[in-house]
């Protein structure tokens, strides 16, 4: 396999699946199809990142068989080649809010079980200032600090949109108070980006879990909350997944987990509102017609409404879709 030749071929074509941080282009090799994975240029950092993805994949290969098979990793230029998994992405089987096949639910439970059995010694080293074993409040502080950074790194125009839509300057103030009371738990490997576009129901019937660039060493309860938030399961399947996580997680990863799951779900609602105020604002500004604009404004109104109780005690009513459209118009002007 001529890795650089495959990279150049993928760079010329660039017609593959594009995630937020990476682009994935299928190429043909003498041993069958593979995927060239390259960084997307100009993507703003919206998530914590601890390790280089190839290091993670190499470390977990013997523990998590459902992760992609790393065939090559280059640093100059930076790219990877992964084994190709024929099948369907789970988002093509049903959008957020709809149910998924039972085989996916079983595979998610299995993935949680596998990840929480990966020893820290098998993984790349964490930075010296990373939260220590059991320090769940310090781990949660990392999450809220990132959201605070996102809230304030925009220009004056972004600040104006945040203010117009009622996003406070300190959206995580109430959450930080709750996070101080998190129960200490054993840390574990987290995927931290487990959603429908990162899961493939393979032709073989197994499920492959992609995109490990945001993997963390942290509180396992956060990984469950992040997954539930991003999947938007129907209530019955959310209950199944939660019960599956409880079965999969070792006892020392489950200390005091139920109330803390609620705190992390609240955090996910706040983060989504902070991140998507500007993202959806840009989408509304680029909308092709009034119908698309209104649909996006309705989505953003729902995100803001879900977050408000967690950043404002006695939260008032949030902006209506019409008010959001008007605020975006002023922002663009």
């Amino acid at each position: 396999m001529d890795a650089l030749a495959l990279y150049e071929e993928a760079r010329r074509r660039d017609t593959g699946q594009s995630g937020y941080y990476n682009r994935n282009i299928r190429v043909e090799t003498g041993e069958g199809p593979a995927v060239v994975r390259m960084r997307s240029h100009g993507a703003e950092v919206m998530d914590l990142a601890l390790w280089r993805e190839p290091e993670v994949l190499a470390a977990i290969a013997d523990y998590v068989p459902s992760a992609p098979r790393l065939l090559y990793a280059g640093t100059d230029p930076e790219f990877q080649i992964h084994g190709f998994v024929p099948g369907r992405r789970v988002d093509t089987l049903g959008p957020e809010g709809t149910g998924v096949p039972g085989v996916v639910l079983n595979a998610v439970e299995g993935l949680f079980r596998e990840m929480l059995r990966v020893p820290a010694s098998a993984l790349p080293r964490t930075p010296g200032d990373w939260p220590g074993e059991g320090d769940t409040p310090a781990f949660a502080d990392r999450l809220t600090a990132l959201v605070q950074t996102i809230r304030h790194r925009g220009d004056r125009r972004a600040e104006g949109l945040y203010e117009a839509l009622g996003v406070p300057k300190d959206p995580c103030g109430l959450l930080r108070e709750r996070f101080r009371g998190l129960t200490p738990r054993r840390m574990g490997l987290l995927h931290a980006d487990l959603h429908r576009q990162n899961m493939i129901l393979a032709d073989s019937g197994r499920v492959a879990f992609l995109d490990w660039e945001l993997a963390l060493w942290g509180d396992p309860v956060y990984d469950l909350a992040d997954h539930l938030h991003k999947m938007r399961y129907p209530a019955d399947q959310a209950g199944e997944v939660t019960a599956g996580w409880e079965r999969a997680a070792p006892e020392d990863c489950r200390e005091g987990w139920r109330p803390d799951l609620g705190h992390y779900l609240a955090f996910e609602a706040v983060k989504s509102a902070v991140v998507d105020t500007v993202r959806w604002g840009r989408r509304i500004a680029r909308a092709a017609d009034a119908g698309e604009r209104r649909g996006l404004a309705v989505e953003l109104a729902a995100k803001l409404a879900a977050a408000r109780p967690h950043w404002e005690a006695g939260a008032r009513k949030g902006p209506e879709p019409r008010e959001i459209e008007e605020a975006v118009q002023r922002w663009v002007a």
Side-chain angles (χ1 to χ4, degrees):
M1 182 178 64
D2 188 337
L4 286 176
L6 292 174
Y7 166 78
E8 291 297 338
E9 177 189 343
R11 196 164 62 89
R12 286 193 300 270
R13 289 197 290 115
D14 202 3
T15 55
Q17 299 288 344
S18 292
Y20 184 69
Y21 294 113
N22 290 281
R23 307 190 306 284
N24 302 291
I25 299 94
R26 174 177 169 168
V27 294
E28 298 298 328
T29 76
E31 300 177 358
V35 173
V36 175
R37 184 163 167 82
M38 302 180 289
R39 297 289 293 175
S40 297
H41 297 296
E44 295 177 293
V45 175
M46 299 293 184
D47 302 278
L48 292 178
L50 192 56
W51 301 302
R52 293 182 60 247
E53 186 177 27
E55 295 175 344
V56 177
L57 293 177
I60 67 175
D62 293 335
Y63 299 93
V64 186
S66 55
R69 187 164 59 100
L70 179 67
L71 303 178
Y72 180 86
T75 56
D76 187 19
E78 185 177 0
F79 71 100
Q80 304 170 57
I81 300 179
H82 293 178
F84 177 76
V85 179
R88 296 184 62 185
R89 274 189 351 199
V90 171
D91 64 311
T92 68
L93 305 175
E96 291 181 6
T98 64
V100 300
V103 65
V104 175
L105 302 183
N106 293 335
V108 168
E109 178 180 339
L111 177 67
F112 283 135
R113 180 175 292 106
E114 291 165 357
M115 288 192 296
L116 294 179
R117 282 157 177 73
V118 177
S121 59
L123 294 164
R125 296 185 58 150
T126 56
D129 62 348
W130 192 254
E133 182 60 44
D135 196 350
T136 49
F139 173 76
D141 280 346
R142 293 295 181 114
L143 301 175
T144 57
L146 174 67
V147 172
Q148 192 72 0
T149 297
I150 294 169
R151 170 63 179 83
H152 289 284
R153 73 180 172 202
D155 56 19
R156 289 173 53 193
R157 293 169 63 242
E159 178 65 29
L161 183 62
Y162 279 129
E163 290 181 355
L165 299 184
V167 181
K169 292 183 180 297
D170 185 8
C172 293
L174 293 179
L175 282 173
R176 276 195 297 275
E177 295 179 16
R178 300 180 199 173
F179 281 158
R180 291 190 188 104
L182 289 178
T183 302
R185 270 179 295 277
R186 178 170 74 78
M187 300 295 198
L189 174 65
L190 319 182
H191 184 284
D193 196 27
L194 195 57
H195 56 75
R196 293 171 193 248
Q197 293 183 3
N198 285 346
M199 295 187 275
I200 294 179
L201 180 55
D203 295 342
S204 64
R206 70 182 184 92
V207 177
F209 297 97
L210 313 180
D211 293 12
W212 289 78
E213 74 267 27
L214 302 182
L216 299 172
W217 185 258
D219 186 351
V221 181
Y222 171 68
D223 214 13
L224 173 61
D226 180 71
H227 176 62
L228 293 173
H229 174 82
K230 290 174 178 174
M231 290 293 290
R232 308 288 188 194
Y233 288 112
D236 59 334
Q237 288 200 337
E240 288 184 54
V241 170
T242 303
W245 180 90
E246 186 176 17
R247 288 191 297 267
E251 184 177 357
D252 53 358
C253 293
R254 291 186 274 112
E255 295 287 339
W257 72 275
R258 289 187 182 277
D260 290 355
L261 176 63
H263 298 330
Y264 281 126
L265 287 170
F267 166 79
E268 286 297 307
V270 168
K271 180 185 177 185
S272 178
V274 171
V275 169
D276 291 340
T277 290
V278 174
R279 276 187 183 174
W280 259 244
R282 291 169 180 159
R283 293 179 66 188
I284 292 168
R286 296 194 302 263
D289 52 50
E292 183 182 356
R293 277 195 302 275
R294 178 51 55 93
L296 291 167
V298 168
E299 292 177 8
L300 182 53
K303 293 173 184 287
L304 293 167
R308 288 183 74 84
H310 307 301
W311 67 43
E312 179 183 346
R316 298 159 294 173
K317 194 169 182 291
E320 297 289 340
R322 174 185 54 79
E323 297 173 298
I324 291 175
E325 290 183 65
E326 292 171 353
V328 170
Q329 289 175 352
R330 293 193 298 271
W331 178 52
V332 171

